Amino acid sequence: MRRHVILVGLPGSGKTSAGAIAARVLGAAFTDIDQAIERETGRTVAELFQTEGEAAFRAREQAWVARALAEAPHLIAPGGGWAAQPGSFEQVDPDAFVVYLTIDPAVAAARLAGDRSRPLLAGTDPAGAIRRLLEQRESVYRRAAVEIDGAAGPPATVADALISVARGWAGWGTP
């Protein structure tokens, strides 16, 4: 039985870039939850954090994950903080297979250099902010069924690993 593949990890770990490539190769849909929320509201994640607060954003995020789970099995990339919210893993079990894209905080910071769209990384020390996020979230991320190195190469290389996981563990079979 095919299950959704949900990607968790730090900002900059490749959830969106590698996930979109893997979905295309698998012939599946891909839902980036942050992008879906931005399309629905007409506001950026940063604007939503500023005007409504993180708790309201996380509620939207949970609702969007539920909507995505109601669709045919596909790849889903919630924001980096989704997994750390109480009940997140329980929300997707048993309909999804969760994959943790690991990444060194310094590599994630380098990938995100100049990106002003991430409210939890705003400030003068984005690398420090990413390290703190990892300290806060790593134990939750490690609840995932499988870990893939999000810095193993370009997005296509990480996507290849995701494809293997989808085919081998999440019931997607071979092409």
Side-chain angles (χ1 to χ4, degrees):
M1 175 180 111
R2 271 190 188 183
R3 295 190 291 164
H4 296 279
V5 176
I6 297 188
L7 308 177
V8 300
L10 289 171
S13 63
K15 296 182 301 290
T16 298
S17 55
I21 293 168
R24 190 170 47 254
V25 171
L26 289 165
F30 175 71
T31 301
D32 179 291
I33 299 297
D34 285 353
Q35 291 175 3
I37 291 169
E38 287 180 341
R39 276 192 310 273
E40 179 181 67
T41 64
R43 294 183 284 169
T44 67
V45 171
E47 290 169 336
L48 291 167
F49 263 68
Q50 183 177 28
T51 60
E52 299 180 1
E54 183 175 0
F57 176 80
R58 297 297 175 200
R60 283 183 192 275
E61 193 173 46
Q62 292 285 359
W64 257 100
V65 169
R67 287 167 71 174
L69 289 170
E71 297 175 10
H74 66 287
L75 281 79
I76 302 168
W82 169 83
Q85 302 309 303
S88 293
F89 277 78
E90 293 76 12
Q91 176 187 19
V92 302
D93 187 45
D95 299 322
F97 190 83
V98 181
V99 177
Y100 171 28
L101 295 183
T102 64
I103 192 162
D104 180 270
V107 175
R111 284 184 177 178
L112 299 173
D115 183 344
R116 305 275 183 243
S117 68
R118 299 169 190 266
L120 296 180
L121 304 183
T124 59
D125 184 17
I130 292 173
R131 276 192 305 280
R132 287 186 293 282
L133 288 175
L134 182 60
E135 290 168 7
Q136 295 165 4
R137 299 174 178 171
E138 187 169 31
S139 64
V140 178
Y141 289 157
R142 292 202 181 272
R143 290 180 59 191
V146 170
E147 295 182 14
I148 293 174
D149 182 358
T157 300
V158 178
D160 286 343
L162 287 172
I163 293 162
S164 293
V165 165
R167 288 180 174 156
W169 294 74
W172 289 72
T174 55

